[in-house]
Amino acid sequence: MKTTTIQIQNLKCGGCANTILTQLSKLDDISDVSVNNDTDEVSFNHNNNEAFEAAKTKLSDLGYPMVGEQNSLPKKAKSFVSCAVGRMTK
């Protein structure tokens, strides 16, 4: 297992964090997911590069692309939806 920490965009609150924790934990070969709202970082353990890429893609699909990646208006909008969903499922 390798632990990776990445900085993401559009992270706003605990609702966002809840959605990220829930969705990344569903991925195969991903475990021990944590979100730091103060630093906009997500940390997780993964077994291989494919699992890392899957996590990166899932974050982007949820509206939380890595810092340095394109942060388009649709991604920002998705992050608001993910945030709202995370707040409702807390």
Side-chain angles (χ1 to χ4, degrees), residues 27-43:
L27 296 176
D28 292 335
D29 298 323
I30 299 288
S31 62
D32 299 324
V33 180
S34 65
V35 180
N36 185 327
N37 282 60
D38 295 329
T39 61
D40 297 334
E41 292 178 331
V42 177
S43 298

Side-chain angles (χ1 to χ4, degrees), residues 25-82:
S25 295
K26 292 179 181 178
L27 296 176
D28 292 335
D29 298 323
I30 299 288
S31 62
D32 299 324
V33 180
S34 65
V35 180
N36 185 327
N37 282 60
D38 295 329
T39 61
D40 297 334
E41 292 178 331
V42 177
S43 298
F44 53 90
N45 291 336
H46 56 93
N47 287 335
N48 51 50
N49 195 51
E50 290 80 19
F52 170 74
E53 290 298 325
K56 216 170 78 167
T57 299
K58 176 57 89 175
L59 284 167
S60 185
D61 290 348
L62 291 169
Y64 307 104
M66 284 179 53
V67 168
E69 290 185 350
Q70 185 178 4
N71 190 17
S72 62
L73 186 57
K75 287 208 188 298
K76 290 177 186 177
K78 284 181 185 179
S79 74
F80 282 102
V81 173
S82 293

Side-chain angles (χ1 to χ4, degrees), residues 17-27 33 58 62 85:
N18 189 43
T19 295
I20 291 167
L21 289 168
T22 302
Q23 295 300 313
L24 287 189
S25 295
K26 292 179 181 178
L27 296 176
V33 180
K58 176 57 89 175
L62 291 169
V85 169

